[in-house]
């Protein structure tokens, strides 16, 4: 009698024990606006990212970083409002403090958002402005 063929022994991908999954939250901008405790604070911050004043832009980049900490619904709301595009454009700002704050906010978005957020940033061509920071 022959032996039964064995299935492949692929190991399942190990989950990240530190990251809190977003699966308990619903999807969509409407639901993110309802569940976010900081929904009213998002629009003024996004408007200040395009301000002509350097201090306003620096403050807005720092505010984005603090708004997304440990709040997945606010992060999704900011992402739906186009915060990634605005922060990527701040990477080519004339002021170094604005660039540093924008880089920190994008880093926090990447850490909290996981692989999907990193792929979204790559699709938005984040590497082009980042190349100027890496000396040859």
């Amino acid at each position: 009698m022959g032996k039964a063929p064995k299935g492949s022994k692929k190991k399942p991908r190990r989950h990240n024990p530190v990251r809190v999954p977003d699966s308990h939250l619903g999807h969509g901008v409407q639901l993110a606006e309802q569940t976010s405790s900081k929904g009213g604070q998002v629009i003024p911050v996004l408007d200040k990212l395009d301000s002509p004043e350097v201090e306003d832009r620096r403050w807005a980049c720092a505010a984005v970083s603090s708004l997304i900490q440990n709040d997945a619904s606010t992060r999704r709301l900011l992402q739906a409002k186009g915060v990634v595009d605005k922060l990527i454009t701040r990477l080519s700002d004339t002021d170094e403090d604005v660039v540093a704050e924008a880089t920190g906010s994008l880093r926090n978005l990447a850490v909290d958002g996981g692989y999907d957020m990193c792929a979204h940033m790559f699709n938005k061509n984040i590497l082009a402005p980042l190349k100027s920071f890496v000396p040859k």
Side-chain angles (χ1 to χ4, degrees), residues 33-45:
E33 287 176 346
Q34 293 170 356
T35 59
S36 175
S37 61
K38 301 169 184 166
Q41 299 172 359
V42 170
I43 302 299
V45 169

Side-chain angles (χ1 to χ4, degrees), residues 12-87:
R13 290 180 57 183
R14 185 170 178 227
H15 73 285
N16 185 352
V18 178
R19 185 170 179 270
V20 176
D22 296 344
S23 60
H24 66 283
L25 298 171
H27 298 288
V29 179
Q30 198 73 359
L31 189 59
E33 287 176 346
Q34 293 170 356
T35 59
S36 175
S37 61
K38 301 169 184 166
Q41 299 172 359
V42 170
I43 302 299
V45 169
L46 291 177
D47 291 341
K48 287 196 180 231
L49 278 173
D50 296 327
S51 173
E53 298 292 324
V54 173
E55 287 299 315
D56 287 344
R57 291 192 310 261
R58 186 180 57 77
W59 175 85
C61 290
V64 166
S65 183
S66 65
L67 279 173
I68 63 166
Q69 285 181 332
N70 300 325
D71 193 3
S73 60
T74 304
R75 184 184 71 242
R76 282 198 317 273
L77 179 62
L78 283 167
Q79 184 181 1
K81 300 286 185 183
V83 74
V84 174
D85 292 333
K86 291 184 179 196
L87 286 173

